[in-house]
Amino acid sequence: MLDADNLFLQKSDELFQCGQFCAVFINPCIFHTGLFVLQPSMEVFNDMKKELKRGRENPDGADQGFICGYYPDLLDRPMFHPPPNGTKLDGTFRLPLGYQMDATYYYLRLRWSVPCGPNSVITFPGAPWLKPWYWWSWPVLPLGISWHEQRRQTLGYVEEIPAVLIQFATYLGIIVMTRLARPNFSKLCYRRSENHISLIQAGLKVIAVWSIVASYIVPFFIIPHTLHPLPAWTLYLFGSFALCSIAINAFLLPMVPVLVPWFGIFGSLLVMAFPWYSDGVVRALAIFGYAFCAAPFVWIAIVKVMASLQVSLEREAFFPRLGESSPPPGFNKLY
């Protein structure tokens, strides 16, 4: 029995030599049901149904708690060692830790150091939103790319490809259209009323700020969640750039300050994906140091964007009076 987040490093056919029930203790006192061997038995099945009706104590209300309660003495059972002649054992056994290596062990040293048993299977317990099949789990958790490589070699990504192509074409169209429409994109008409100008400017500021924020949020949620991380992050960066171009061209904002978060995200991916850290502590310190150094640049970019937005909204070229002819496109360059 396997959870979907198991990652096999080598063949583990010897598990079929185990007895009636075998599982791994990744917790000192509670075995893990992400991988276990269970010999089919109507007798055991019927007895389990009776235990459910009887209301056996179940700490977590799921399969983990029930099965751990059904085999309470597994901790006292002998360790499983497959017979070299291929015969099948009888009874219940503890499996070596190498059959359920918690990915957390890897992140501390960035290498495996599991002394007991073969290092055969990796499991990914923890936060559900950081499971390895989600594209954003890498490079936050480096082992996610290994899970996707095995999927690429087996199932592939045929189901995700159409959505990726549609999004890429949409983003490309947005970049082209916003660039071509830039000379006339921001020319709004209104009847001059000093009482309403401040309200209009405040509303447009809110729209501009939220459009920039949405540019970095929307692509994240519409990318297929189970896409391979490399094309997914590429599509995210391309999509956020395309959506940022709308705000840049609509509100006549400077490109570099608006794209500072874009460069920051790209840099953080490089820092997290760097493969030559000596251990997980050095990697964590490098990520923290990068965030610490990048924070002032983000703050300066925010100040520049807000200042540029105020200047753009105060331009006569941005708010031509109703009925008056708009200045030529080159007029904006005089400010």
Side-chain angles (χ1 to χ4, degrees):
M1 303 295 293
L2 301 170
D3 281 351
D5 59 355
N6 279 290
L7 177 63
F8 280 75
L9 302 180
Q10 61 185 31
K11 288 178 61 176
S12 301
D13 294 349
E14 67 277 4
L15 287 173
F16 291 101
Q17 297 177 241
C18 196
Q20 281 67 46
F21 183 80
C22 303
V24 182
F25 282 83
I26 64 174
N27 180 294
C29 302
I30 302 174
F31 61 83
H32 188 233
T33 57
L35 179 149
F36 62 89
V37 180
L38 179 66
Q39 177 180 320
S41 169
M42 286 302 302
E43 180 182 355
V44 173
F45 176 64
N46 291 329
D47 188 55
M48 283 185 171
K49 290 196 297 183
K50 291 179 182 178
E51 291 293 330
L52 287 173
K53 292 180 180 179
R54 190 178 299 121
R56 172 186 284 273
E57 183 180 358
N58 188 341
D60 61 8
D63 63 302
Q64 176 86 37
F66 175 77
I67 297 176
C68 288
Y70 192 82
Y71 294 96
D73 60 345
L74 188 65
L75 186 60
D76 302 323
R77 307 306 298 168
M79 185 71 71
F80 168 69
H81 297 287
N85 57 4
T87 59
K88 185 177 180 180
L89 300 175
D90 187 51
T92 58
F93 296 87
R94 289 180 293 119
L95 292 176
L97 185 60
Y99 287 109
Q100 276 290 267
M101 299 185 295
D102 189 339
T104 308
Y105 302 152
Y106 177 87
Y107 300 136
L108 183 61
R109 297 180 176 271
L110 297 182
R111 63 180 182 274
W112 290 113
S113 181
V114 180
C116 53
N119 296 346
S120 302
V121 187
I122 304 170
T123 186
F124 296 83
W129 46 276
L130 280 178
K131 289 297 185 180
W133 48 78
Y134 294 131
W135 61 267
W136 58 79
S137 67
W138 182 88
V140 178
L141 303 179
L143 286 174
I145 196 72
S146 301
W147 192 94
H148 277 278
E149 280 302 305
Q150 289 217 3
R151 179 188 168 177
R152 184 184 62 82
Q153 297 170 12
T154 53
L155 299 177
Y157 295 88
V158 177
E159 295 182 358
E160 289 86 353
I161 289 178
V164 172
L165 295 178
I166 292 173
Q167 290 184 37
F168 181 83
T170 302
Y171 293 144
L172 185 61
I174 289 174
I175 293 175
V176 173
M177 292 302 296
T178 53
R179 187 60 186 172
L180 292 177
R182 179 181 175 89
N184 300 309
F185 204 15
S186 60
K187 294 177 181 178
L188 306 176
C189 294
Y190 72 99
R191 294 184 183 278
R192 182 171 295 279
S193 173
E194 299 299 332
N195 295 331
H196 295 156
I197 289 179
S198 59
L199 293 177
I200 294 174
Q201 290 181 346
L204 288 175
K205 281 183 181 180
V206 172
I207 294 174
V209 171
W210 276 108
S211 65
I212 296 173
V213 173
S215 300
Y216 291 100
I217 295 178
V218 171
F220 183 90
F221 287 101
I222 65 176
I223 294 174
H225 292 175
T226 55
L227 185 63
H228 192 285
L230 293 180
W233 279 113
T234 302
L235 184 61
Y236 170 78
L237 292 172
F238 186 66
S240 59
F241 176 83
L243 296 181
C244 281
S245 68
I246 298 177
I248 292 171
N249 290 290
F251 296 95
L252 306 178
L253 298 175
M255 177 177 290
V256 173
V258 174
L259 292 179
V260 162
W262 190 94
F263 290 109
I265 294 171
F266 180 72
S268 67
L269 295 178
L270 296 180
V271 172
M272 289 188 287
F274 185 74
W276 294 292
Y277 292 114
S278 58
D279 55 52
V281 175
V282 174
R283 179 176 183 266
L285 291 175
I287 296 172
F288 175 80
Y290 175 82
F292 182 81
C293 295
F297 292 95
V298 175
W299 176 254
I300 293 172
I302 293 174
V303 173
K304 287 188 175 182
V305 168
M306 296 306 296
S308 299
L309 182 59
Q310 181 64 34
V311 171
S312 296
L313 295 178
E314 291 176 352
R315 291 176 181 172
E316 186 71 19
F318 195 93
F319 279 127
R321 297 183 183 183
L322 188 62
E324 293 184 356
S325 60
S326 299
F331 182 77
N332 291 340
K333 298 178 182 179
L334 299 178
Y335 284 84

